[in-house]
Amino acid sequence: MLKMSQVSKIYLNGSVALRNVDIEIESGEFVFVVGPSGAGKSTFIKMLFREILPTQGSIEVAGIDILSLEAKEIPYLRRRLGIIFQDYRLLPDRTVYENVAFAMQVIEEPYRKIRRSVMNVLDLVGLRDRATSYPHELSGGEQQRVAIARAIVNNPILVIADEPTGNLDPDTSWEIMKIFQEINDSGTTIIMATHDKDIVDAMDKRVIAIENGSIVRDEKHGGYGYEF
Ligand code: ADP
């Protein structure tokens, strides 16, 4: 599902965010990416959807050499990925339904199929009865659930989440993690960067730890490993 070989990223100001990173992630895995602030986690995550280009190395996502894509092909790559951010990034002037449907309309699906798929994913995240609400009428946890529904409505090959529980309290974070677990149980690969020690320790998934731009630990059933 993901193959990174000898990937390095040096920003224009000279900061080395990643150095000689090799990672392979199989289809169906659930992987946490952990590490101190400034370790290179965001850089790693953003490379997966061509937000950032590495300075050297190669990156394959689902068999696609994503570094050789032309600018016009990048939106197609992103539509095949489900991307979730810490700050939800919903459209404030659209309802819950419209926020999710919007992700499908850009791929021009027929109306009835859109309706069925949107209501299915809203069911999965427990928000069917909030379809006509606007983002500002929802709690943070509910907004993140809308963002997850939007991320999975096109059946992505890979879900990428950057600190998805970073703004949420522990109970709400667990609700979000249950949804991620269900998505993973249905076969979708998940890569999630997080600082949430309790979640990583309890979920017993593969953990990749990055420090100073290098992978310092990669365990099949790992823990968070830091005291913060
Ligand atoms: P993390 O997500 O683990 O906090 P980042 O990937 O954001 O780490 O950052 C890794 C390193 O790269 C840090 O030293 C950071 O200061 C630097 N960095 C991140 N983004 C930029 C940028 N746009 N320009 C210059 N340096 C950057």
Side-chain angles (χ1 to χ4, degrees), residues 4-8 18-23 44 58 210 213-215:
M4 270 193 182
S5 304
Q6 289 296 299
V7 167
S8 296
L18 291 177
R19 74 183 94 215
N20 302 327
V21 168
D22 291 313
I23 292 184
F44 167 74
S58 64
I210 304 180
S214 300
I215 295 181

Side-chain angles (χ1 to χ4, degrees), residues 93-160:
D93 55 344
R94 310 278 179 119
T95 64
V96 165
Y97 180 91
E98 289 163 348
N99 263 280
V100 179
F102 188 73
M104 292 194 79
Q105 277 148 4
V106 292
I107 57 174
E108 291 179 6
E109 297 283 3
Y111 169 81
R112 249 189 269 142
K113 183 171 178 214
I114 292 178
R115 171 109 202 141
R116 193 169 56 236
S117 300
V118 172
M119 292 322 273
N120 279 345
V121 288
L122 287 180
D123 259 343
L124 188 121
V125 301
L127 286 177
R128 172 179 271 267
D129 58 349
R130 303 307 299 271
T132 58
S133 299
Y134 284 86
H136 73 269
E137 299 172 310
L138 304 177
S139 69
E142 287 168 334
Q143 290 184 57
Q144 192 60 298
R145 287 194 267 150
V146 178
I148 294 171
R150 176 184 60 187
I152 61 172
V153 73
N154 294 320
N155 297 314
I157 49 179
L158 169 65
V159 167
I160 301 161

Side-chain angles (χ1 to χ4, degrees), residues 9-18 33-46 52 162-163 193 195 210 212-213:
K9 173 68 185 181
I10 304 167
Y11 286 102
L12 288 176
N13 66 1
S15 349
V16 182
L18 291 177
V33 178
V34 304
S37 275
K41 302 180 298 296
S42 293
T43 301
F44 167 74
I45 289 278
K46 287 177 184 158
I52 291 180
D162 194 1
E163 298 272 358
H195 277 115
I210 304 180
N212 282 325

